[in-house]
Amino acid sequence: MSEERRKVTVSVIKADIGSLAGHHKVHPDTILAASRVLAEAKKKGVIKDFYVTHVGDDLQLIMTHYKGVDSPDIHGLAWEAFKEATKVAKELGLYAAGQDLLSDAFSGNVRGLGPGVAEMEFVERPAEPIVVFMADKTEPGAFNLPLYKIFADPFNTAGLVIDPRMHDGFVFEVLDVFEGKMVRLAAPEELYDLLALIGTPGRYVIKRVYRKRDNEIAAVVSSERLNLIAGKYVGKDDPVAIVRAQSGFPAVGEVLEPFSFPHLVAGWMRGSHHGPLMPVGLKDAKCTRFDGPPRIVALGFQVHNGNLIGPADLFDDPAFDEARRLAQFIADYMRRHGPFMPHRLGPEEMEYTTLPQVLERLKDRFVKAELGYKPVIKRSEELSGAEHD
Ligand code: F6R
Ligand code: MG
Ligand code: MG
């Protein structure tokens, strides 16, 4: 079969394998080490093409190939690239070298081992624009709000109303990352149910989006949550996403538009604070202030015969200057809360905490207080919420 008709797979696999000056930015030598591994694999025909980059302290491998999603060859290759980059990180004494490689043993798939993975397989259209989003200092649910706007909000995406190819809407696959369950919800019919879930982005994460009329894949997000994998703080998830654009999918401009609003996301400083998601070009893809604020980069490619043509650094544009300024303003506002919620995350979401030790130390000093009522504690979200007629 000709390459044009074969299904191509785009795999974005990322990991924090150590960085320069704390958790600030990836060292160029580790990018080189990973690139060498991928260049060799390209020469051997394992992958068709690749682009290696970084956002903040996360090393990003963007690859195309014909082996489908979850391919042991491709995941093994990414693992090898991260291992080689880790060697360099260790030689250079970079900070937190090897941090996201939670296991020494690779067994066919990097999912669950630490790296984040977003992959999609499709038959290339005659011209196939994609946008690869990469975020630092946040969690996978950070994509919930922008993906909702892109694929379900006509005030963002004009095409939902006026492009007949999109007018039927999209189907959202939502993961419950606590329970390991998944549900598909159709927009616009089930918008309110969809929002009831994805408004809790720490638990309900949009994993994939499909175009309803033909079930074509439109978007995919990495959903790995490191603290849920390791059971303790080991670094932030710093998710990635791939979105297809144009010709019956949202236009690139509709795909980027939600990021003109720097919404609040979880994951800033010690994975324990909310902050605004600042859209930046690659040159500003580094985290400084209070280890942030959280950043997001968008690289546009044309996928052509399996090759990655590009990238276009899409947020490197004065059109996003106001969003950056607003993000900085919000960052200042949030910072002034110091250790108080809602800047600091709730106790169940914090990745660093001393609360158990503090409570243990104070346990004999807590004395009975007369509240005047018997408190009824709601145990979970499912149980909470008053019933109104
Ligand atoms: C890492 C991150 C940082 C660290 C913080 C403390 O991606 O988000 O904010 O959590 O710099 O790091 P350690 O504990 O390594 O000193
Ligand atoms: Mg990071
Ligand atoms: Mg990190």
Side-chain angles (χ1 to χ4, degrees):
M1 206 189 304
S2 73
E3 281 193 345
E4 295 87 87
R5 293 310 303 159
R6 267 202 289 168
K7 279 191 169 182
V8 67
T9 304
V10 181
S11 299
V12 183
I13 307 188
K14 49 87 35 185
D16 177 347
I17 53 84
S19 50
L20 179 62
H23 297 280
H24 163 65
K25 77 182 270 200
V26 167
H27 191 286
D29 290 1
T30 59
I31 296 185
L32 269 179
S35 302
R36 267 196 291 270
V37 173
L38 298 196
E40 192 58 32
K42 180 175 170 176
K43 219 186 305 168
K44 288 189 187 140
V46 180
I47 51 174
K48 177 74 183 173
D49 204 359
F50 71 92
Y51 187 80
V52 181
T53 188
H54 82 96
V55 173
D57 57 6
D58 294 286
L59 182 58
Q60 309 279 352
L61 314 178
I62 304 170
M63 300 172 283
T64 50
H65 54 91
Y66 292 97
K67 294 176 185 289
V69 302
D70 278 334
S71 155
D73 289 356
I74 302 303
H75 284 227
L77 177 63
W79 190 254
E80 193 192 329
F82 290 137
K83 283 279 184 198
E84 285 303 308
T86 300
K87 267 191 217 158
V88 174
K90 288 189 170 153
E91 275 162 28
L92 295 175
L94 297 184
Y95 193 66
Q99 169 187 283
D100 284 0
L101 309 186
L102 303 181
S103 162
D104 284 333
F106 174 77
S107 56
N109 196 308
V110 293
R111 291 194 296 132
L113 297 184
V117 186
E119 300 184 281
M120 58 159 71
E121 189 185 32
F122 51 82
V123 175
E124 257 180 51
R125 295 168 293 162
E128 183 67 58
I130 62 164
V131 180
V132 177
F133 288 104
M134 296 159 284
D136 192 25
K137 312 301 180 210
T138 189
E139 61 181 15
F143 283 110
N144 283 6
L145 186 149
L147 287 175
Y148 171 81
K149 284 190 171 176
I150 295 167
F151 292 105
D153 180 2
F155 282 76
N156 180 90
T157 300
L160 293 168
V161 181
I162 63 178
D163 183 339
R165 296 167 295 182
M166 286 164 59
H167 195 75
D168 292 339
F170 288 86
V171 174
F172 291 74
E173 197 177 287
V174 178
L175 269 183
D176 175 343
V177 294
F178 287 6
E179 295 286 333
K181 288 185 189 162
M182 190 266 279
V183 62
R184 284 167 70 100
L185 291 164
E189 310 87 286
E190 297 178 294
L191 278 190
Y192 298 163
D193 288 352
L194 176 65
L195 286 168
L197 297 182
I198 64 173
T200 306
R203 173 162 186 174
Y204 299 102
V205 176
I206 298 174
K207 177 67 191 174
R208 292 185 190 84
V209 182
Y210 298 90
R211 184 165 56 193
K212 200 188 296 158
R213 73 202 288 249
D214 53 8
N215 214 28
E216 270 290 304
I217 181 91
V220 63
V221 177
S222 65
S223 51
E224 290 71 25
R225 293 216 46 194
L226 278 171
N227 63 327
L228 297 178
I229 295 170
K232 60 177 176 8
Y233 175 80
V234 281
K236 205 55 199 173
D237 323 310
D238 304 335
V240 290
I242 311 168
V243 179
R244 295 171 82 191
Q246 308 288 155
S247 304
F249 289 116
V252 168
E254 291 167 332
V255 171
L256 302 179
E257 183 65 4
F259 297 92
S260 63
F261 166 58
H263 67 297
L264 290 175
V265 298
W268 195 2
M269 182 51 88
R270 299 178 185 275
S272 303
H273 293 81
H274 283 117
L277 187 62
M278 181 186 270
V280 291
L282 278 174
K283 70 176 189 328
D284 295 316
K286 52 193 179 182
C287 288
T288 51
R289 180 144 181 232
F290 201 53
D291 285 358
R295 316 251 166 156
I296 184 154
V297 165
L299 294 187
F301 295 92
Q302 292 293 133
V303 181
H304 183 59
N305 294 337
N307 293 306
L308 286 165
I309 311 301
D313 190 357
L314 295 164
F315 289 143
D316 180 19
D317 183 333
F320 286 93
D321 280 352
E322 282 314 309
R324 289 188 268 272
R325 245 192 300 276
L326 179 57
Q328 199 45 55
F329 184 80
I330 297 165
D332 283 332
Y333 173 83
M334 294 302 283
R335 283 298 303 124
R336 288 172 70 181
H337 293 79
F340 284 79
M341 290 171 64
H343 179 31
R344 202 211 73 198
L345 302 188
E348 67 295 337
E349 279 284 309
M350 288 163 65
E351 300 198 350
Y352 282 62
T353 186
T354 50
L355 193 59
Q357 294 98 300
V358 170
L359 286 174
E360 174 60 27
R361 207 166 40 247
L362 297 183
K363 72 175 189 300
D364 297 330
R365 289 169 54 189
F366 270 103
V367 293
K368 196 160 173 46
E370 198 44 67
L371 294 175
Y373 57 87
K374 189 171 170 355
V376 180
I377 308 295
K378 295 166 185 163
R379 295 278 167 219
S380 83
E381 250 170 89
E382 282 81 19
L383 300 175
S384 69
E387 285 177 24
H388 294 290
D389 293 326

